[in-house]
Amino acid sequence: MMAVRVGGALFAFFVGIGRVAIGLLATIGRVTLFALNTIRRALTPPYYPGKLFEQIAHIGWFSLPVVCLTAIFTGAALAQQTFTAGSRFNASSTVPGIVVMGIVRELGPVLVGLMVAGRVASAMAAELGTMRVSEQLDAMTTLRTDPFRYLIGPRLFASIIALPVLVLIANCLGILGGYLIAVYKLGFNATSYLTISRNFLEADDIGMALVKAGVFGFFIALMGCYYGFRADGGAAGVGDATRTAVVSAFVLILLSNLLITVTAFG
Amino acid sequence: MSEPKIQLTDVAKTFGTRTILDGVNLSVEPGESMAIIGQSGSGKSVTLKCILGLVRPDRGSIRVDGEEVVGAHGRDMERIRAKFGLLFQGSALFDSLPVWRNVTFGLTRGRNREPARMRKIAEENLERVGLDSRILNLRPSELSGGMQKRVALARAIAPRPEIIFFDEPTTGLDPIRADVINDLIVSLVNDLGVTALTITHDMASARKIAHRVAMLYQGRIIWRGPRDRLYDSGNPYVDQFVLGRAEGPIT
Ligand SMILES: Nc1ncnc2c1ncn2[C@@H]1O[C@H](COP(=O)(O)OP(=O)(O)O)[C@@H](O)[C@H]1O
Ligand SMILES: [Mg+2]
């Protein structure tokens, strides 16, 4: 009797796991199809270069303030922490070294990715979701304009273009933040700090940061557009789509960041 | 007899577990104006969306000028859609674009070409629905619901389609403005030879604009006939609906 009940519960447990796994696989399949569909259609005419520039401005320019702020303060805090932890050793080279590597390889891309995901994936999901539930996407289709080319393609490519630029800027400002703390608070020599920083700055690291940024940009726009595009159920549905888009973008950014880091240094 | 402009055969659509359309048969002749009546939620809008390929029916066939719509895609679907204009029940204006870009969207297809000419075209089409050019630069959210509906109507007719679907064109308008829209539909049909399919709850409007009326009930067309027979259809469902009685076979 007891054994049957335990067996039943165990069975239900595995059925539950199976269901979640299948749901996840199905979602991955649908998202992949959505992405391929977007890319295929966006690369065939008609093209909307105006929409692309508009989105680059939206994503890039208007994200600048928050990205700059985050980068400077994080770089500064990192320098202070490294100094505190590493002062017993060779502080004059560990501080600039760790600031440069930490910002360029990890913190710059990840922080920019998360900041922009919060701003942009949510805005895209809300905008496209509203267009879906108010039938604007259907209206566009009946007016023979493909939402994949007109709305989604430009968002996806603009995000892939804008993120690397933002990450470059963030990396510079992060290093600047570390420099300011090191020189004006921790008493480092300005010239030697810069020289050491430059020695630690490697083209490969910058390349990896840009690859990460492009991948994050892709995921941010993909999640925003995917969940917005399939929103249903009125205002509540748009709310759900927005939340899911941001959370999924966060998870994908963190996962892909780890994957790229491990692949590059593992 | 000529080929029907639009022919639906046994069209069915189920959302989840709810069967909305359950074998719709309907044909509309070229140059004809047909009205569809039926309760809210009976699937009238879904029927229009099936014809335009926005919703894919589970079974059945939909032909436009003899060409199958169900399963068509790419260029074929584009060519078929080019014949249509649709006024959405909820207007569905693009709220990020000003009125004049909304009205000409079917012509520019989203691109920013010939703005001067497009503004002129927008102005002409707005005039046909009784709106003046002062609203050209406004955003849809700055307009009243009735004005939005008329801007949406202008957007649907601007590309001069052969077939126009009107989903509740007079709902939310005052009786005078509603009659302007009725006249417009009549003139599109009589003067330009447009084929029209109108969903309406407004019996006065149905009698004015339609040659024939069809009633959708429980997923099927249960009655169709000339507009003059609307009030003596001999069908208890139609009687209850057109007279607006709470008592009757429809519950
Ligand atoms: N995309 C959809 N997904 C699920 N249900 C839908 C969808 N579109 C319409 N429905 C449902 O189909 C029914 C008929 O809708 P509709 O055709 O809009 O009715 P009406 O006759 O008032 O125009 C409604 O109950 C609606 O909720
Ligand atoms: Mg409807």
Side-chain angles (χ1 to χ4, degrees):
Chain A
M1 188 63 208
M2 199 57 196
V4 171
R5 207 176 299 154
V6 170
L10 212 62
F11 182 68
F13 176 71
F14 283 115
V15 167
I17 290 188
R19 203 167 281 148
V20 170
I22 290 172
L24 191 63
L25 284 179
T27 303
I28 292 172
R30 277 194 299 265
V31 170
T32 309
L33 280 181
F34 184 87
L36 291 175
N37 202 6
T38 305
I39 294 167
R40 185 174 57 81
R41 295 209 216 174
L43 293 180
T44 50
Y47 304 114
Y48 297 96
K51 289 277 140 192
L52 180 67
F53 293 127
E54 195 181 294
Q55 287 301 319
I56 291 178
H58 252 295
I59 299 166
W61 184 249
F62 296 111
S63 296
L64 266 182
V66 63
V67 162
C68 294
L69 215 65
T70 313
I72 291 198
F73 283 101
T74 306
L78 187 59
Q80 175 68 62
Q81 290 284 11
T82 315
F83 182 74
T84 315
S87 53
R88 275 167 282 158
F89 314 112
N90 193 357
S92 64
S93 73
T94 44
V95 171
I98 287 183
V99 167
V100 164
M101 290 197 308
I103 290 287
V104 172
R105 288 182 182 174
E106 295 295 328
L107 290 173
V110 171
L111 288 177
V112 169
L114 295 180
M115 290 313 235
V116 177
R119 259 193 91 247
V120 170
S122 57
M124 285 180 182
E127 189 181 6
L128 291 184
T130 304
M131 293 184 79
R132 164 63 73 203
V133 301
S134 63
E135 299 185 313
Q136 292 177 51
L137 295 178
D138 284 340
M140 190 170 280
T141 306
T142 65
L143 295 166
R144 295 183 301 135
T145 299
D146 180 7
F148 280 90
R149 293 188 175 92
Y150 183 77
L151 296 170
I152 300 173
R155 281 169 174 70
L156 197 65
F157 287 105
S159 187
I160 295 174
I161 294 167
L163 260 282
V165 178
L166 287 173
V167 164
L168 270 187
I169 295 169
N171 285 348
C172 297
L173 290 174
I175 293 170
L176 174 69
Y179 169 87
L180 292 177
I181 282 282
V183 172
Y184 292 104
K185 177 163 179 289
L186 307 176
F188 280 71
N189 175 285
T191 330
S192 71
Y193 187 94
L194 281 180
T195 316
I196 296 169
S197 291
R198 201 174 310 122
N199 290 342
F200 273 97
L201 201 58
E202 303 230 7
D204 281 357
D205 289 346
I206 297 173
M208 189 183 72
L210 296 184
V211 169
K212 282 183 173 181
V215 170
F216 299 167
F218 173 76
F219 283 138
I220 289 168
L222 186 63
M223 291 299 102
C225 292
Y226 175 78
Y227 284 105
F229 197 71
R230 41 179 282 134
D232 65 8
V238 175
D240 287 343
T242 306
R243 180 156 26 78
T244 317
V246 174
V247 172
S248 319
F250 274 31
V251 171
L252 285 173
I253 286 172
L254 295 171
L255 270 180
S256 60
N257 179 62
L258 181 60
L259 207 68
I260 296 173
T261 298
V262 168
T263 314
F265 297 101
Chain B
M1 206 177 100
S2 70
E3 184 178 55
K5 195 78 181 164
I6 303 169
Q7 182 154 39
L8 282 74
T9 316
D10 194 32
V11 172
K13 180 69 196 177
T14 299
F15 288 114
T17 56
R18 286 167 51 235
T19 297
I20 304 298
L21 302 179
D22 189 18
V24 172
N25 292 294
L26 186 70
S27 75
V28 185
E29 301 303 317
E32 186 181 25
S33 172
M34 173 163 302
I36 299 181
I37 59 174
Q39 285 175 289
S40 296
S42 59
K44 305 180 297 296
S45 299
V46 170
T47 305
L48 294 192
K49 287 182 189 168
C50 286
I51 301 172
L52 279 158
L54 296 172
V55 170
R56 195 188 166 123
D58 301 327
R59 65 161 203 266
S61 148
I62 298 171
R63 289 176 178 276
V64 173
D65 289 325
E67 199 175 351
E68 182 63 52
V69 174
V70 180
H73 55 269
R75 286 194 200 290
D76 291 333
M77 195 68 231
E78 280 225 346
R79 186 164 35 72
I80 296 169
R81 284 202 183 114
K83 299 175 181 181
F84 287 93
L86 169 58
L87 167 65
F88 282 79
Q89 185 171 353
S91 296
L93 293 172
F94 305 123
D95 40 33
S96 60
L97 299 177
V99 164
W100 70 275
R101 301 255 291 161
N102 263 283
V103 173
T104 53
F105 199 93
L107 304 166
T108 59
R109 299 174 73 183
R111 273 164 295 187
N112 197 2
R113 51 174 57 156
E114 302 181 80
R117 193 167 79 88
M118 290 302 149
R119 289 178 70 91
K120 191 102 198 75
I121 291 175
E123 213 174 313
E124 286 161 17
N125 285 287
L126 287 174
E127 197 180 317
R128 302 182 70 189
V129 297
L131 290 172
D132 69 53
S133 59
R134 271 174 304 187
I135 65 162
L136 276 178
N137 291 320
L138 298 183
R139 304 266 155 179
S141 59
E142 298 173 275
L143 305 175
S144 73
M147 284 165 104
Q148 289 178 3
K149 190 133 225 167
R150 287 184 285 159
V151 172
L153 185 54
R155 181 178 71 178
I157 63 175
R160 311 235 171 259
E162 308 164 32
I163 309 167
I164 311 185
F165 292 166
F166 303 94
D167 197 343
E168 305 196 9
T170 56
T171 304
L173 299 184
D174 64 67
I176 298 167
R177 295 235 158 80
D179 210 46
V180 171
I181 301 303
N182 289 336
D183 288 338
L184 173 70
I185 296 174
V186 169
S187 108
L188 287 167
V189 172
N190 291 348
D191 306 341
L192 299 176
V194 162
T195 305
L197 189 56
T198 308
I199 292 173
T200 184
H201 293 297
D202 174 351
M203 292 309 135
S205 168
R207 288 217 290 181
K208 182 160 184 181
I209 63 178
H211 302 130
R212 282 196 302 153
V213 179
M215 176 154 168
L216 187 62
Y217 180 67
Q218 292 194 338
R220 290 163 196 247
I221 301 291
I222 55 157
W223 181 82
R224 82 202 71 195
R227 63 169 163 213
D228 303 329
R229 299 290 306 278
L230 195 55
Y231 282 90
D232 71 290
S233 59
N235 182 312
Y237 294 90
V238 178
D239 281 345
Q240 187 191 347
F241 190 82
V242 299
L243 299 173
R245 285 194 306 244
E247 312 264 296
I250 303 175
T251 45

